[in-house]
């Protein structure tokens, strides 16, 4: 693994944990993979393509990726503090009762990195 990739992995983990992500959820690993994929594939425009890439990398089904990410991001939405999420992302984009979709979370995090 290259130094830049190690640093990116660390930064993604910091952001996910900083916004309230729990590392014990399978969705944590899926989210990291999805964010890395979006960063490295700027032409990625379809969520099906993204989920298929993550599923292939982790040797699971696309449905497992979808459910894992949904559970992961729902857990963040349930307990997140608006000010903390906005501070970690560096943008005033998150409002507590505006539930962001999986793809919106992934895109926001990828854009801030």
């Amino acid at each position: 693994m290259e130094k830049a990739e190690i640093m990116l992995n660390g930064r993604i983990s910091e952001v996910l944990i900083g916004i309230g992500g729990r590392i014990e959820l399978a969705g944590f690993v899926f989210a990291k993979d999805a964010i890395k994929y979006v960063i490295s594939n700027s032409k990625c425009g379809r969520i099906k393509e993204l989920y298929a890439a993550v599923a292939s990398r982790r040797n699971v089904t696309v449905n497992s990726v979808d459910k894992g990410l949904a559970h992961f991001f729902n857990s963040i939405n349930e307990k997140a503090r608006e000010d903390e999420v906005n501070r970690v992302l560096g943008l005033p984009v998150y409002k507590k009762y505006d539930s962001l979709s999986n793809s919106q979370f992934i895109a926001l995090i990828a854009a801030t990195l």
Side-chain angles (χ1 to χ4, degrees), residues 3-53:
K3 185 176 180 180
E5 187 177 350
I6 293 169
M7 290 178 65
L8 179 61
N9 273 333
R11 184 68 184 121
I12 292 169
S13 293
E14 286 174 10
V15 169
L16 291 174
I17 292 167
I19 63 173
R22 297 182 1 229
I23 61 173
E24 68 271 12
L25 298 178
F28 183 85
V29 175
F30 298 157
K32 280 180 66 171
D33 288 347
I35 293 163
K36 285 190 291 189
Y37 186 83
V38 169
I39 290 170
S40 64
N41 296 288
S42 59
K43 294 180 183 177
C44 176
R46 297 184 50 209
I47 203 71
K48 284 185 177 185
E49 174 190 335
L50 175 62
Y51 286 11

Side-chain angles (χ1 to χ4, degrees), residues 2 17 25 35-36 40 44-45 52 66 68 70 85-86 89 91 95:
E2 293 179 17
I17 292 167
L25 298 178
I35 293 163
K36 285 190 291 189
S40 64
C44 176
D66 183 33
V85 173
N86 287 328
L89 293 177
L91 302 164
K95 294 193 184 322

Side-chain angles (χ1 to χ4, degrees), residues 47 51 69 73-74 77 98-107:
I47 203 71
Y51 286 11
L69 287 172
F73 289 121
N74 284 339
N77 273 325
D98 290 344
S99 186
L100 299 176
S101 69
N102 299 349
S103 58
Q104 288 172 321
F105 261 120
I106 291 166

